Amino acid sequence: MFVYPSGDPVLPGYPLIVPVGTIDRRLVSWFEGQLIDGQVVALAPGVYTPFNPVVPDLVDYLVGPSSGDCAVREKFFPESGGACWDGVQRGSAEP
């Protein structure tokens, strides 16, 4: 079983690769110029990090920086670098 940096179990279906066009527009702008093939890793509902094909094991992304919903980041990624916004909902390609 995998866990978030908070020690909570990783939510079912996460992490997964999703197209950047399926997530909140604020994050699309934030990640502009940082993406390879327009993909991000959804770490939790409304929380993402850029995908890098050199790092194919998605579990590795759980310990790096994350950006997305402030409340979800605070709960699961309390020490993570990145940015947050209130009210970021899960993207349309997420469980």
Side-chain angles (χ1 to χ4, degrees):
M1 174 171 76
F2 298 109
V3 296
Y4 289 114
S6 64
D8 292 293
V10 172
L11 297 170
Y14 291 91
L16 74 151
I17 298 170
V18 298
V20 72
T22 65
I23 66 174
D24 189 290
R25 63 177 172 71
R26 295 172 286 185
L27 285 144
V28 173
S29 294
W30 178 254
F31 291 135
E32 188 173 329
Q34 302 178 49
L35 303 180
I36 299 171
D37 295 333
Q39 297 179 314
V40 295
V41 179
L43 302 170
V47 178
Y48 310 90
T49 194
F51 175 68
N52 181 344
V54 175
V55 184
D57 188 350
L58 300 183
V59 173
D60 291 341
Y61 293 91
L62 294 173
V63 295
S66 64
S67 297
D69 184 73
C70 293
V72 176
R73 283 188 70 238
E74 185 174 314
K75 177 175 176 49
F76 295 121
F77 305 93
E79 305 293 322
S80 173
C84 76
W85 298 264
D86 291 330
V88 176
Q89 301 295 309
R90 75 179 70 219
S92 62
E94 295 170 56

